Amino acid sequence: MADKVAVVTGSNKGIGYATVRELYKRGVKYVYLTARDVQRGQKAIENLKQEGWNPLFHQLDVTDKDSVKIFAEHLKQKHGGIDILINNAAISSSNFTETSYEDSVRVIDANYFSILTIQEYIFPILNDSARVINISSDCGHISNLRNKYWISRLTKEDTKQGDVNAFVNWFLDSVKNGTLDQEDFQEMPLLAYRISKIALCALTRVQQKEVGRNISVNSLHPGFVKTDMTKTTGFITIEEASKAPVYLALDVDQSVKGKYFWYDKTEREWADPNQKLHCTYEVIDKCLRELNQA
Ligand code: NDP
């Protein structure tokens, strides 16, 4: 444990920030707080320093190939490799209830295609038995989808990255061409965000099959958390939400691979559409209304 190296993407605030702190509390020696904006990152570092922690910082914009490449080179040079990678950085749909093409491209770039860039540059420097945690969502459970063709193509045993890419491109083309069919989805609000997180969960399973070297790759729904992403609504704090990613990073058995976890640290069956674990927008909407009235 003492000399482990951990990286948390998008950790200048929210769940990522609390996860950096929790990793330090649990005794990980080198934890990288990363941020796309250096000033926001430095401010977060200062806050943690005031609490007595001494986090490492590096700029990282997950949508910028050069930024990911430079960071990977830095990690390799300084540490040789890393032990824990928490892919936390993400954005939500700008408008929760309307889906535009430009916004969908933005969301899917940030939440899905960025993970392919990280896979390209950071996976090669994962140490043997490293752990990767892809922060997904209940929006990423397969039950958010109704389209039987895509459910089957994403959940089969031999799903490949090409299948997942085809899925997000099918969605983007449908939005662009105005052929989006409501019947294909459980709910329409936050649709691009849902697609990006379903793709991330499907990719987690593909990554697990291909990564080797006893590395584990799991995905996680961190709960409905009070952060900027949820406009400060939610049922749990960032401190509470940081426990499950750290559990997957440090505590769960190394044999747990390619699974989907819930914020209470229980494993859920991602590939079963009958589980009905999809995100219910009514709940978010109710919280937003209450907040606006307060
Ligand atoms: P926040 O919006 O509070 O934080 C998101 C973080 O990601 C910020 O640090 C943000 O940086 C960073 N980020 C966004 N885009 C990029 C990028 N291109 N490169 C690097 N960093 C980036 O969100 P949360 O803490 O709520 O969310 C954390 C994770 O949890 C996400 O993956 C989210 O999808 C997931 N999640 C959250 C839920 C919730 O209820 N909050 C529910 C389910 C899942 P900046 O400050 O520069 O914008």
Side-chain angles (χ1 to χ4, degrees), residues 10 12 15 36 40 61-62 88 90 136 193 197 223 225 227 230:
N12 53 289
I15 299 166
R36 58 179 161 177
R40 286 198 287 272
D61 181 338
V62 296
N88 166 81
S136 183
Y193 180 76
K197 294 296 189 178
V225 192
T227 65
T230 55

Side-chain angles (χ1 to χ4, degrees), residues 9-17 34-37 40 59-64 87-92 109-111 114 134-139 193 196-197 200 220-230 233-236 238:
T9 70
S11 45
N12 53 289
K13 67 177 183 180
I15 299 166
Y17 175 78
T34 64
R36 58 179 161 177
D37 180 279
R40 286 198 287 272
Q59 193 275 345
L60 178 65
D61 181 338
V62 296
T63 61
D64 176 352
N87 287 316
N88 166 81
I91 54 173
S92 184
D109 269 352
N111 299 1
S114 70
N134 289 329
I135 305 296
S136 183
S137 169
D138 54 353
C139 285
Y193 180 76
S196 72
K197 294 296 189 178
L200 179 59
L220 169 73
H221 165 47
F224 184 26
V225 192
K226 296 175 200 293
T227 65
D228 288 349
M229 185 175 278
T230 55
T233 61
F235 299 144
I236 59 173
I238 56 171

Side-chain angles (χ1 to χ4, degrees), residues 28 40 47 54 83 97 100 122 175 190 192 230 267 278:
V28 177
R40 286 198 287 272
N47 289 341
N54 199 17
D83 306 287
T97 53
S100 75
I122 301 192
V175 180
L190 294 168
T230 55
E267 189 187 319
H278 63 85

